[in-house]
Amino acid sequence: EAGVTQFPSHSVIEKGQTVTLRCDPISGHDNLYWYRRVMGKEIKFLLHFVKESKQDESGMPNNRFLAERTGGTYSTLKVQPAELEDSGVYFCASSQAGRFNEQFFGPGTRLTVL
Amino acid sequence: ELKVEQNPLFLSMQEGKNYTIYCNYSTTSDRLYWYRQDPGKSLESLFVLLSNGAVKQEGRLMASLDTKARLSTLHITAAVHDLSATYFCAFQGGSEKLVFGKGTKLTVNP
């Protein structure tokens, strides 16, 4: 069974540009989460989808970040326009339907904003 | 708001030695996770601890949870080089989101 995949693995962009990150969860997982680790800091929660609905987006830093999960399958996280402080590793995780099921993580996308 | 303090942040140890990583958390937690991450790889789940006094062991790693002290520990016994990685504790308290510690980068030297 394929795990959580993320694309791209690395992205280097200039301040003010737009970047879109993609996450493909484990097939059949209703729950999808985005997390971010900024250099030297904790991994922090961004948001949680249940199927195509945003269950909790309390961790989204500001309105430059837009997450979507059309059709309840893969998800995208767009940053527009990117700022220097957006640099970090963006992780996606998925879990089976229901509450408090184990979250399986992808390898992350390393975003560098110059 | 649930907050997590993990220490140490860096740990360099000799093969064969024992050591403990600590995670303190600030409020009631439903469950506790320990993850391992190798460079450039996913976070791999090691343990899930659900109740006070829970102890789980896998190989040279043993995790425990003390909900009264709001403390979880990851104990490493007779470390080997293959255990070199970054270890994270993470808590869930009242919602699905995981709240992570800063991670402990473990280096085991021959």
Side-chain angles (χ1 to χ4, degrees):
Chain A
E1 179 183 315
V4 177
T5 57
Q6 293 185 245
F7 182 84
S9 56
H10 295 84
S11 181
V12 181
I13 61 172
E14 293 192 351
K15 176 181 172 181
Q17 290 186 320
T18 297
V19 63
T20 300
L21 314 181
R22 174 171 169 144
C23 168
D24 285 82
I26 292 172
S27 178
H29 280 193
D30 285 350
N31 293 299
L32 188 148
Y33 310 83
W34 284 97
Y35 294 86
R36 171 174 82 167
R37 189 182 192 198
V38 172
M39 180 72 75
K41 302 221 170 164
E42 305 88 340
I43 299 171
K44 286 201 169 177
F45 169 82
L46 296 177
L47 88 160
H48 169 205
F49 284 100
V50 177
K51 297 185 180 179
E52 66 274 9
S53 299
K54 292 176 185 174
Q55 182 75 16
D56 180 356
E57 51 184 329
S58 61
M60 294 288 266
N62 52 59
N63 60 9
R64 295 186 293 104
F65 289 75
L66 175 63
E68 294 181 321
R69 192 181 182 196
T70 306
T73 54
Y74 71 91
S75 175
T76 57
L77 181 64
K78 180 190 286 188
V79 185
Q80 180 181 29
E83 298 288 345
L84 299 179
E85 64 264 26
D86 300 333
S87 296
V89 181
Y90 290 76
F91 292 100
C92 176
S94 71
S95 68
Q96 292 180 336
R99 299 197 70 205
F100 298 125
N101 288 313
E102 182 179 358
Q103 296 180 27
F104 295 87
F105 281 78
T109 292
R110 181 173 294 278
L111 174 64
T112 302
V113 183
L114 302 176
Chain B
E1 181 186 343
L2 180 59
K3 294 188 178 180
V4 180
E5 185 174 325
Q6 182 175 346
N7 63 81
L9 301 183
F10 298 93
L11 178 55
S12 180
M13 54 192 297
Q14 296 273 325
E15 278 192 330
K17 298 292 186 182
N18 305 331
Y19 210 82
T20 302
I21 300 171
Y22 298 88
C23 264
N24 289 94
Y25 57 100
S26 58
T27 62
T28 303
S29 172
D30 293 310
R31 54 186 61 198
L32 178 283
Y33 298 82
W34 282 96
Y35 287 92
R36 167 182 172 145
Q37 187 189 26
D38 293 290
K41 300 289 179 67
S42 310
L43 277 75
E44 174 194 353
S45 177
L46 297 174
F47 301 106
V48 181
L49 301 172
L50 303 178
S51 60
N52 188 43
V55 176
K56 289 194 175 179
Q57 183 161 5
E58 181 75 34
R60 300 174 188 274
L61 301 177
M62 183 174 71
S64 66
L65 179 62
D66 182 343
T67 57
K68 292 180 181 177
R70 295 180 181 167
L71 171 69
S72 181
T73 61
L74 180 67
H75 187 73
I76 303 154
T77 302
V80 293
H81 179 69
D82 286 352
L83 289 179
S84 296
T86 299
Y87 293 85
F88 295 93
C89 60
F91 292 83
Q92 278 176 328
S95 72
E96 298 283 318
K97 67 181 179 185
L98 292 170
V99 179
F100 283 85
K102 287 189 174 183
T104 298
K105 185 172 182 180
L106 171 66
T107 304
V108 181
N109 303 303

